[in-house]
Amino acid sequence: MRRFLITALLLFSTACFASEDLSKQATAFYSDNNFQKTMDLILQIDEKERTAQDWLILGNVLEDKGEQENAVFMYQKAISTDPKYYKAYYNLANYNMQNNRLNLAVQNYKKAASLNKENPYVLYNLSCAYIKLGEIKKAKTALNKAIMLRSDIPEFHYNLAYVYKQLDKPKLAQTYLDNFNKLTNQ
């Protein structure tokens, strides 16, 4: 019995290391834009052993191939694998934004922002969704938070200038437009 347990543990640990190795290799190929090799490697990993990142990468590759519905399924699999993996919510939000499903985009951007409070691009994209929805005050709040995290991104300032113009605050709008111009001329 003891020998069986040791053998079973060795087989299990070998499978886990093999899955980790395949995952690392797939990530490297994905970074090099070798999408076919990426897919081949991830598909060798048993579904139960795939990480949230594996599912996300599969979704990204499928989205690049124009298979949006399959990509969404992969993002959802990433979330079910790790409900705290903000990147899957972010990608779902981007998909919903592109397809004019703005309320779903907002919902997913907010979830991504709650899981990663240090990513200004999540907040920036959230503000863009709010702008499209006409929720200008919420857009202002999201943009101000994004600028607090990264004040050197010109687009953040440009959109905030637009928001302040919409809120009939021309002096603040001009301030952020000036910031945008300074950042783009550096």
Side-chain angles (χ1 to χ4, degrees):
M1 178 68 171
R2 183 176 174 183
R3 188 174 202 187
F4 172 75
L5 287 174
I6 292 172
T7 304
L9 283 172
L10 285 173
L11 288 173
F12 177 74
S13 63
T14 303
C16 288
F17 288 128
S19 295
E20 274 184 44
D21 195 38
L22 288 170
S23 185
K24 286 178 184 176
Q25 289 176 21
T27 301
F29 279 109
Y30 181 72
S31 296
D32 289 337
N33 294 321
N34 187 338
F35 301 134
Q36 190 56 53
K37 188 67 175 170
T38 300
M39 292 274 295
D40 293 344
L41 288 167
I42 291 176
L43 293 176
Q44 289 178 40
I45 302 170
D46 187 88
E47 284 189 26
K48 294 174 193 151
E49 294 180 27
R50 289 183 194 154
T51 65
Q53 182 174 315
D54 293 335
W55 291 110
L56 180 85
I57 289 173
L58 281 174
N60 290 348
V61 169
L62 289 168
E63 193 164 359
D64 287 343
K65 288 182 167 189
E67 297 181 34
Q68 279 74 23
E69 296 303 317
N70 290 331
V72 167
F73 176 78
M74 297 302 169
Y75 300 147
Q76 291 167 338
K77 290 288 282 184
I79 289 168
S80 69
T81 301
D82 181 358
K84 294 183 179 184
Y85 190 61
Y86 88 95
K87 291 178 183 180
Y89 293 100
Y90 183 69
N91 284 18
L92 270 177
N94 289 338
Y95 168 80
N96 286 314
M97 181 84 138
Q98 290 168 357
N99 290 285
N100 213 30
R101 297 178 185 138
L102 300 175
N103 290 319
L104 284 173
V106 165
Q107 178 183 349
N108 284 294
Y109 285 134
K110 285 171 72 174
K111 183 65 177 178
S114 74
L115 294 170
N116 184 336
K117 295 177 183 355
E118 303 300 316
N119 189 321
Y121 297 100
V122 174
L123 295 165
Y124 172 75
N125 285 355
L126 174 62
S127 75
C128 292
Y130 280 138
I131 289 169
K132 286 185 171 191
L133 285 168
E135 297 183 29
I136 303 302
K137 288 182 180 178
K138 289 180 180 180
K140 179 187 78 157
T141 300
L143 281 166
N144 278 319
K145 288 179 182 178
I147 287 173
M148 284 176 46
L149 292 170
R150 286 283 307 267
S151 61
D152 62 331
I153 309 295
E155 293 78 13
F156 295 5
H157 294 270
Y158 186 83
N159 279 20
L160 197 51
Y162 171 81
V163 163
Y164 279 121
K165 184 177 180 187
Q166 295 301 305
L167 293 171
D168 198 27
K169 298 192 182 235
K171 287 182 182 178
L172 282 170
Q174 189 60 51
T175 298
Y176 283 97
L177 189 57
D178 292 344
N179 290 347
F180 168 78
N181 288 327
K182 286 177 192 171
L183 290 167
T184 54
N185 289 328
Q186 289 181 353

